Amino acid sequence: MYVCLCKGVTDKAIRRTVEDGARTWREVQRETGCGTQCGKCGCMGKGITREAIREE
Ligand code: FES
């Protein structure tokens, strides 16, 4: 599922970024570009990042 339409970032891409070592929403943003344009996906992106970190 696409989380960020501006940058074409999926929930899978966010999870993969966390698997690869990202530990904060900032790091996920830096790696994927998620939430760096219009910002509408920020809330969902942050939520998925948090969930993925919890599951690590
Ligand atoms: Fe993610 Fe616009 S939908 S920055």
Side-chain angles (χ1 to χ4, degrees):
M1 162 191 84
Y2 277 103
V3 175
C4 178
L5 293 180
C6 294
K7 299 287 182 177
V9 182
T10 61
D11 59 326
K12 274 199 188 123
I14 294 176
R15 289 178 192 282
R16 206 178 316 121
T17 307
V18 171
E19 271 166 32
D20 289 347
R23 282 297 167 269
T24 62
W25 168 232
R26 276 277 152 80
E27 284 172 19
V28 171
Q29 283 186 299
R30 201 175 335 128
E31 291 298 317
T32 63
C34 188
T36 59
Q37 203 161 315
C38 76
K40 273 189 203 146
C41 59
C43 224
M44 192 184 257
K46 220 181 276 179
I48 292 169
T49 300
R50 233 177 258 150
E51 207 179 278
I53 290 169
R54 218 177 306 126
E55 286 164 4
E56 274 286 289

